[in-house]
């Protein structure tokens, strides 16, 4: 199976939104999805982009993606690449596409002089954890993600 990886273009936004919805279904998190083509377009290609994406194509169709952004390590005093989401459609899994996407992002991080390439994985996704470990990733056992969203974010952000 042949595929190519390239930077996402504005015309890819509808396909990206569809893949994001597929990812949410896989992760059983569809109740959290609020994305829209307009919102995603703004954040990828608007006046002040905050994320980047690459897409994987096979037979002229977008069948996978990786969405990422720059973060920063105070200890390294270097920027890093944070992978927010990586998704490959089920029919394409096992083709090397996921591995190619990770390698592509690692190359971007190296070319940019970044000190880290990191991401999160759901603890129940044993197949993904094994895959990432085979690729050289270390699952950080002592770290937990903290998140404030919705009303809790609004409350925390209010001047007090």
């Amino acid at each position: 199976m042949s595929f190519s990886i390239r930077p996402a273009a504005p015309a890819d936004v509808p396909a990206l939104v569809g893949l994001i919805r597929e990812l949410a279904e896989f992760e059983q998190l569809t109740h959290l999805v609020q994305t829209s083509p307009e919102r995603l377009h703004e954040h990828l290609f608007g006046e002040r982009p905050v994320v980047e994406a690459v897409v994987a194509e096979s037979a002229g169709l977008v069948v996978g993606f990786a969405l990422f952004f720059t973060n920063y390590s105070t200890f390294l005093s270097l920027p890093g690449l944070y992978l927010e989401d990586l998704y490959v459609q089920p029919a394409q899994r096992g083709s090397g596409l996921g591995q190619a996407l990770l390698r592509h992002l690692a190359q971007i991080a190296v070319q940019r002089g970044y000190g880290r390439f990191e991401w999160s994985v759901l603890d129940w996704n044993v197949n993904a954890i094994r895959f990432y470990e085979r690729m050289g990733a270390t699952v950080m056992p002592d770290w937990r993600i903290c998140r404030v969203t919705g009303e809790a974010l609004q409350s925390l952000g209010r001047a007090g």
Side-chain angles (χ1 to χ4, degrees), residues 42-45 48-52 68-70:
E42 174 187 345
H43 295 297
L44 280 168
F45 305 108
R48 294 186 58 178
V50 294
V51 296
E52 298 176 63
F68 58 99
F69 54 88
T70 302

Side-chain angles (χ1 to χ4, degrees), residues 5-123:
I5 297 172
R6 61 171 174 77
D12 296 318
V13 169
L16 284 167
V17 169
L19 292 173
I20 290 167
R21 290 188 175 128
E22 288 182 33
L23 172 62
E25 284 180 37
F26 172 76
E27 292 181 344
Q28 301 173 15
L29 296 172
T30 55
H31 61 285
L32 298 177
V33 177
Q34 297 180 19
T35 193
S36 69
E38 298 78 20
R39 186 181 287 179
L40 185 59
H41 185 277
E42 174 187 345
H43 295 297
L44 280 168
F45 305 108
E47 190 174 311
R48 294 186 58 178
V50 294
V51 296
E52 298 176 63
V54 294
V55 295
E57 284 186 316
S58 180
L61 299 174
V62 176
V63 296
F65 78 98
L67 189 133
F68 58 99
F69 54 88
T70 302
N71 63 7
Y72 191 80
S73 167
T74 53
F75 288 1
L76 296 177
S77 195
L78 288 170
L81 190 149
Y82 188 85
L83 172 60
E84 178 65 23
D85 282 314
L86 182 145
Y87 180 74
V88 174
Q89 289 183 318
Q92 307 295 322
R93 294 183 191 152
S95 68
L97 188 56
Q99 186 177 29
L101 283 164
L102 283 176
R103 288 189 189 284
H104 185 86
L105 295 180
Q107 290 169 355
I108 290 171
V110 169
Q111 290 168 353
R112 294 179 183 180
Y114 290 178
R116 289 183 179 163
F117 172 26
E118 54 193 357
W119 60 92
S120 301
V121 61
L122 291 167
D123 63 357

